[in-house]
Amino acid sequence: MSALDLTKLGALAAAAEDLTVNKVYERELPKAGVAFFVLKDYIELGRHASTNPSHKPSHKAVLIFELNHPKHMVDTDKGKEPQQFMLRVGKGSTAKSGYRKLFAAMNAAYDNQFNHFIQMIGKPFLGELFHNEVGEGDKKQTYVNADLNGAWSFKAPYQVDQITEARTLLPIDPLKGTPRVFMWEPVGIDDDTLKAMWDSIYIEGTRDVEDKATKEVKQVSKNWIQEQIMKNLEWEGSATQALTQEFVELTAPSDVLPASTIDDLPPSLDD
C-alpha cells in the first residue's frame, strides 16, 4: 500500500476549497432588455424617515414581480425558477408622484379597469429592464430599473402586428410563487384578515451578510419585511402591533429595533 502524500493532498484540497474564505450568497442581477413581469406582491411598509434631512417622513411600499421571460429563468434546487424584481416607491397622493405614475402605467396596460395595485396581482405585463451604474472602482454598483428617464416600461402583454395591428397574447407563464399582500393599518379591516396579511409576509430562517468594511460575516434574519414594518415610525401603538405582539416578542421585539429608512431594505427578496 502506497503511503499518503499529505503535503500534496493538502495543497489539492486547499486549491479546491479554501476554508479561510467565507462565501456569501449574492443574487444574480436580472439581465437588461425585454422582460415579462407578473405582479406577485404588494407590501406597504408604513411611514419611514428619509435619508435626506430636508425631506419629511413618508409612507413606503414595495411591489415584487416574477420575471417570466426565458432569459430571466435561473437554476435552483427546485429546477428553473423566475428571477424576481422589486420596486420601492413612496406612496405619493398626487398624479405627479412616482407611485401614481407607476399605477397609471400598469393600469393603462389593462384599459384602466383597476383601482389599486392589489387588483393586478397575477396579471402579466410586457416591459423592459434597464441597468445603470453608480460610483467608480470598488464602489461601483449596478442597479436594475423598469423606468427610463421617468417613463415606466410596462405595457399590455401583447405582440402587435405592424401591418394588420392584430394583437397576439404573449406566452407569459402564470405566477409560480404564492402572492403576498400587506396593507399598513387599512380602515375597516377585520382582525383575521390583518393577521393573515401579516402571516403571508413572514420569511423563516437566516442568511449570511458580509460587512463591507470589516469583511466579517454574520447571520441575520431573512424576515426583513416584517422587521422593516416594525421599524416604521407608526408601529408603536398600532393595531398591527397589538394584534401581532405575541409573535413580535418571540422574534424581534420592537423596543430593540433601531430607527430606519427605506434604504435598509436588503437586496434579496425572499431570503
Side-chain angles (χ1 to χ4, degrees), residues 98-134:
Y99 181 73
R100 294 300 180 103
K101 287 181 179 180
L102 172 60
F103 175 77
M106 292 174 62
N107 200 22
Y110 284 91
D111 299 321
N112 300 311
Q113 60 180 289
F114 301 116
N115 300 101
H116 197 277
F117 289 109
I118 293 175
Q119 296 169 319
M120 295 188 234
I121 288 179
K123 298 296 183 184
F125 298 85
L126 172 65
E128 189 171 357
L129 290 175
F130 308 95
H131 283 186
N132 71 296
E133 293 182 344
V134 177

Side-chain angles (χ1 to χ4, degrees), residues 31 36-37 48 65 79 82 97 125 127 129 139-140 159 180 218 236 245 263:
K31 294 182 176 65
F36 295 160
F37 300 85
H48 290 259
F65 300 82
S97 71
F125 298 85
L129 290 175
K139 295 183 178 180
K140 182 189 295 185
Q159 190 171 35
R180 298 178 296 191
K218 61 180 180 179
E236 292 295 332
Q245 188 63 53
D263 299 311

Side-chain angles (χ1 to χ4, degrees), residues 20-78:
T20 66
V21 177
N22 295 312
K23 292 185 178 180
V24 179
Y25 174 75
E26 294 185 4
R27 186 178 296 273
E28 179 183 346
L29 285 178
K31 294 182 176 65
V34 66
F36 295 160
F37 300 85
V38 184
L39 182 58
K40 177 178 174 288
D41 306 320
Y42 173 83
I43 299 162
E44 295 178 356
L45 300 171
R47 192 165 66 96
H48 290 259
S50 172
T51 53
N52 188 330
S54 66
H55 292 177
K56 295 180 180 179
S58 60
H59 286 268
K60 306 294 182 180
V62 295
L63 283 76
I64 299 176
F65 300 82
E66 284 186 355
L67 299 176
N68 288 343
H69 191 281
K71 72 178 180 181
H72 294 132
M73 304 299 287
V74 294
D75 292 319
T76 72
D77 295 339
K78 300 177 183 179

Side-chain angles (χ1 to χ4, degrees), residues 1-258:
M1 178 184 294
S2 301
L4 293 175
D5 187 338
L6 296 180
T7 300
K8 180 178 180 179
L9 291 173
L12 288 172
E17 182 182 21
D18 187 348
L19 297 179
T20 66
V21 177
N22 295 312
K23 292 185 178 180
V24 179
Y25 174 75
E26 294 185 4
R27 186 178 296 273
E28 179 183 346
L29 285 178
K31 294 182 176 65
V34 66
F36 295 160
F37 300 85
V38 184
L39 182 58
K40 177 178 174 288
D41 306 320
Y42 173 83
I43 299 162
E44 295 178 356
L45 300 171
R47 192 165 66 96
H48 290 259
S50 172
T51 53
N52 188 330
S54 66
H55 292 177
K56 295 180 180 179
S58 60
H59 286 268
K60 306 294 182 180
V62 295
L63 283 76
I64 299 176
F65 300 82
E66 284 186 355
L67 299 176
N68 288 343
H69 191 281
K71 72 178 180 181
H72 294 132
M73 304 299 287
V74 294
D75 292 319
T76 72
D77 295 339
K78 300 177 183 179
K80 290 284 186 180
E81 295 284 339
Q83 290 180 289
Q84 294 187 23
F85 171 69
M86 179 169 64
L87 283 176
R88 314 173 188 188
V89 289
K91 289 192 63 188
S93 58
T94 68
K96 293 182 179 180
S97 71
Y99 181 73
R100 294 300 180 103
K101 287 181 179 180
L102 172 60
F103 175 77
M106 292 174 62
N107 200 22
Y110 284 91
D111 299 321
N112 300 311
Q113 60 180 289
F114 301 116
N115 300 101
H116 197 277
F117 289 109
I118 293 175
Q119 296 169 319
M120 295 188 234
I121 288 179
K123 298 296 183 184
F125 298 85
L126 172 65
E128 189 171 357
L129 290 175
F130 308 95
H131 283 186
N132 71 296
E133 293 182 344
V134 177
E136 297 181 356
D138 294 339
K139 295 183 178 180
K140 182 189 295 185
Q141 295 189 50
T142 301
Y143 294 91
V144 184
N145 305 298
D147 67 301
L148 185 63
N149 299 324
W152 295 103
S153 70
F154 295 98
K155 298 178 178 64
Y158 297 100
Q159 190 171 35
V160 181
D161 188 286
Q162 295 185 7
I163 298 176
T164 66
E165 297 187 350
R167 300 196 306 178
T168 303
L169 185 65
L170 292 167
I172 302 177
D173 289 338
L175 278 179
K176 286 194 172 185
T178 302
R180 298 178 296 191
V181 170
F182 186 81
M183 292 181 287
W184 175 248
E185 303 289 280
V187 176
I189 195 168
D190 61 88
D191 288 353
D192 288 343
T193 303
L194 181 56
K195 186 63 164 59
M197 288 196 303
W198 183 256
D199 292 343
S200 79
I201 59 175
Y202 174 68
I203 305 172
E204 186 177 4
T206 60
R207 58 189 174 93
D208 290 339
V209 174
E210 184 179 75
D211 187 294
K212 293 181 179 180
T214 66
K215 302 301 181 182
E216 179 184 357
V217 176
K218 61 180 180 179
Q219 285 192 333
V220 300
S221 169
K222 291 183 179 181
N223 192 32
W224 67 269
I225 301 175
Q226 286 188 350
E227 291 176 358
Q228 194 72 24
I229 293 168
M230 287 188 285
K231 295 176 186 177
N232 102 73
L233 299 175
E234 297 176 353
W235 172 257
E236 292 295 332
S238 66
T240 306
Q241 183 195 37
L243 187 63
T244 62
Q245 188 63 53
E246 179 180 357
F247 177 81
V248 172
E249 289 178 347
L250 291 173
T251 55
S254 59
D255 59 357
V256 300
L257 289 172

